[in-house]
Amino acid sequence: MREGVGIGVGPYAELTFDSDGDVDRSTQDAVAALEATDLLVFAHGWNSDRSTSTRLFDRFYAPFPGLVGSGVRLGYVGVVWPSIRFSDEPIPDFDPHATLAAPSHGTALDPATLRALGEFWPGRVAELDRVAELLEDRPESAAAFTEFGALVRELAGVDAVDAADPPEASDASDAADAGVAAVTAVAVPAVRDVPAVFTHDVLEVCRAFTEGLIEAGALPGGAAGTGFCVGGGLRALWSGAKELLRQATYYQMKKRAGVVGERGLGPVLAELAGRRPALRIHLIGHSFGARVVSFSLRAVPDGARYVKSATLLQGAFSHYAFADRLPHDKGSGGALRGMQRRVDGPVLACHSPYDSALKVFYPLASRMAGDSAGLLGFDERWGAIGHDGVQAVPGAPRISLDTALRERLPETGCVSVDTGSVVRRGGPPSGAHSDICHEELARLVVAAGRMGR
C-alpha cells in the first residue's frame, strides 16, 4: 500500500492528527493495514503544509530499503500534525529556491508565510493583517511595539492577566514541558508556563531577539542600534519583533506537540501494538516532532515492549526532560522522567552545534523569569536536547556519529549523539536545524533498531 504523493518507498501511509490530538480515522486504518515486521514512525517538526511534510518524509526515508537486513520488512509512516515553518527557514538541499548563505534582513511577511499563519491561527485574519502591516511599516514608535506585543500575545493564547504577572522562577523550563499534559491546545496556560517573551517589556524582548539575530548571523553586527531611545533606533528592533512572532508559533507548537504525542500518537500506537503484538515500532522525530514521539511514550502501557527505538533529531524540548532529578531543583524531575525505560532499545538524542534555532533562540524563548544577566544571560536550565544532548541522566553516554555507526550502540537508555559532522548546513536564523536528510542518520535509526544487515 502506498498513500501519499511523491513517496518513493513503500508500503507507506500518513497518520494525521488535529491540534487536539484527534486522529483521522481513515489514516489510522491505512497505517493498521501496512504489512511489515518493523514500522518506522516519523513525526515532522515545523512544516506549513502536507506537501512539504510528504517531501521531507520521502527524502528522509529514501536510503532505508538498502540498509536493512533480509528478514526485515519495513513499513513507513509519516505523522502529520498542524505546525508551521516560516519561509525564511530553508531546508538544505530541499527547498530549490531557498538561499542558505545570504539572510534576508527584511521584516515584512511574505505571502506564503502570511497564508501559513492564517491556517495556523484560523479566524485571526484581522490580527494577522495588522501584525503584517506593522512589520512592513516598522514605525519608530514605542506605542506601535506595545500594540504588536499585545497582538502576538493574543495570537499565542496568552491572556492579559497571565501576561501581566511574572511567572514562577523555579524549574521553569521543565515545568513548561510537564504542563503540556494538563492543557489542551486551546486552553490558557498557567502563569508559570508563559515564557518571558510574553511577560517582559516588549521593547526589551525585541531588543534581546535582535541581538540574538546578530549572534545567529541573521543581521550584521550593530544592527540593534540604540534600541530603547524612543524615536532613535527603534526601527531596527522590528527584526526582533518578527522573531517574537516566530517564537509565538513555536510556543503554540510546543504545546500542540505534547498533546498530539500523548493524546494522539501514543494511544494509536498502543492500540496497533495490541492488535499486532509482533510488530516492532521505531519512533523518529525532528524538532517539535521529536517532542511528539517522546510524549507518545507516556501512553505506552507498563511492561509493553513494542517500541524498539527512538531517534530524536534536533529535538526542540528541554535537555533535562528524561532526568529523574533536576540539577537546579533536586525535588523535581523532567517532564519525561523515566520514559526512556518504556523503549525496548536506545533513545538517541541527536544534537549539533550548528543548530542556531536551538543554540540561540530556544533558550532565549524558554526563560520564564529574568535575572541579573537579563534576557540574554546564559543559564543552562534553558538548553534544548537537540543542542547539547541529554543532560542529568546518570550513565547516559555521549558519542560522536562516527562512533555510533562504527561501534555497537548501547542496548537501552538515553544516548547523546553529536551529529555535527553531517548536520551543519543552513542559513540564519535557524542554522542547521533542518539539515536532517542524510544517509548517515538513516543508518543511525537502523542501528538503534537493530535492523541492519
Side-chain angles (χ1 to χ4, degrees):
M1 175 186 297
R2 286 189 182 183
E3 299 288 342
V5 178
I7 293 294
V9 297
Y12 170 83
E14 286 178 353
L15 190 57
T16 303
F17 297 92
D18 66 16
S19 59
D20 294 322
D22 293 329
V23 66
D24 181 317
R25 292 295 177 181
S26 65
T27 67
Q28 183 178 8
D29 292 342
V31 170
L34 296 179
E35 293 294 335
T37 60
D38 293 74
L39 200 65
L40 301 176
V41 180
F42 181 19
H44 65 71
W46 46 50
N47 287 297
S48 297
D49 54 51
R50 179 175 175 177
S51 63
T52 302
S53 302
T54 302
R55 289 168 57 216
L56 178 61
F57 298 146
D58 180 52
R59 286 292 304 276
F60 186 82
Y61 279 147
F64 280 88
L67 300 176
V68 298
S70 58
V72 175
R73 288 181 290 119
L74 292 179
Y76 302 86
V77 176
V79 178
V80 179
W81 60 286
S83 60
I84 185 174
R85 178 175 67 95
F86 280 43
S87 62
D88 63 355
E89 299 169 0
I91 302 175
D93 299 323
F94 186 81
D95 286 331
H97 303 297
T99 301
L100 300 181
S104 172
H105 299 157
T107 61
L109 296 175
D110 63 274
T113 297
L114 187 57
R115 182 170 57 254
L117 287 168
E119 295 174 357
F120 188 73
W121 284 312
R124 296 302 185 93
V125 175
E127 293 93 334
L128 288 170
D129 283 347
R130 180 55 179 159
V131 162
E133 182 181 7
L134 288 168
L135 287 173
E136 183 167 2
D137 293 345
R138 296 188 296 163
E140 292 205 58
S141 161
F145 280 93
T146 299
E147 179 188 3
F148 183 87
L151 287 167
V152 170
R153 286 196 300 269
E154 186 174 350
L155 289 168
V158 180
D159 69 2
V161 174
D162 285 350
D165 295 330
E168 298 180 24
S170 63
D171 187 24
S173 180
D174 188 73
D177 283 340
V180 172
V183 299
T184 68
V186 296
V188 175
V191 173
R192 68 179 292 159
D193 294 339
V194 180
V197 293
F198 302 122
T199 62
H200 283 69
D201 176 80
V202 67
L203 281 176
E204 182 184 357
V205 170
C206 291
R207 176 60 175 265
F209 276 133
T210 302
E211 293 179 5
L213 288 166
I214 294 172
E215 181 182 347
L219 290 174
T226 55
F228 295 110
C229 295
V230 175
L234 288 183
R235 190 174 177 84
L237 299 190
W238 284 104
S239 294
K242 184 178 182 180
E243 190 59 35
L244 172 59
L245 177 65
R246 192 195 313 270
Q247 295 299 325
T249 67
Y250 296 173
Y251 174 63
Q252 195 75 43
M253 282 192 286
K254 184 176 183 178
K255 292 191 295 178
R256 286 184 184 178
V259 170
V260 170
E262 183 171 3
R263 300 182 179 181
L265 179 61
V268 166
L269 295 180
E271 179 180 336
L272 177 62
R275 294 164 56 185
R276 298 173 59 182
L279 185 65
R280 295 160 43 90
I281 296 175
H282 308 275
L283 301 176
I284 310 162
H286 169 236
S287 185
F288 288 109
R291 183 177 170 90
V292 170
V293 299
S294 296
F295 272 75
S296 76
L297 296 174
R298 284 183 166 182
V300 175
D302 290 339
R305 313 306 292 171
Y306 56 86
V307 178
K308 297 300 181 180
S309 67
T311 304
L312 314 178
L313 305 170
Q314 303 308 118
F317 60 98
S318 173
H319 56 192
Y320 293 137
F322 293 100
D324 288 331
R325 290 182 176 82
L326 302 174
H328 51 281
D329 184 357
K330 298 298 185 181
S332 299
L336 297 169
R337 53 189 173 275
M339 289 297 105
Q340 66 269 31
R341 291 187 280 275
R342 298 192 179 186
V343 179
D344 188 24
V347 175
L348 304 185
C350 300
H351 59 96
S352 170
Y354 303 103
D355 185 334
S356 300
L358 299 184
K359 179 181 180 180
V360 178
F361 295 107
Y362 179 90
L364 182 56
S366 294
R367 295 186 181 98
M368 307 291 279
D371 55 25
S372 59
L375 280 173
L376 281 176
F378 175 77
D379 189 330
E380 65 180 12
R381 283 180 297 171
W382 317 122
I385 198 169
H387 168 58
D388 57 5
V390 174
Q391 301 293 324
V393 175
R398 307 182 65 83
I399 59 178
S400 68
L401 177 60
D402 180 66
T403 298
L405 296 178
R406 186 180 65 249
E407 302 177 4
R408 187 175 178 85
L409 286 167
E411 294 186 359
T412 59
C414 293
V415 183
S416 298
V417 183
D418 185 343
T419 58
S421 59
V422 296
V423 181
R424 57 190 302 119
R425 296 187 60 230
S430 55
H433 186 69
S434 295
D435 186 18
I436 62 168
C437 294
H438 296 281
E439 180 178 327
E440 291 89 342
L441 299 184
R443 290 169 55 200
L444 190 63
V445 173
V446 169
R450 307 289 192 262
M451 295 177 283
R453 295 172 174 173

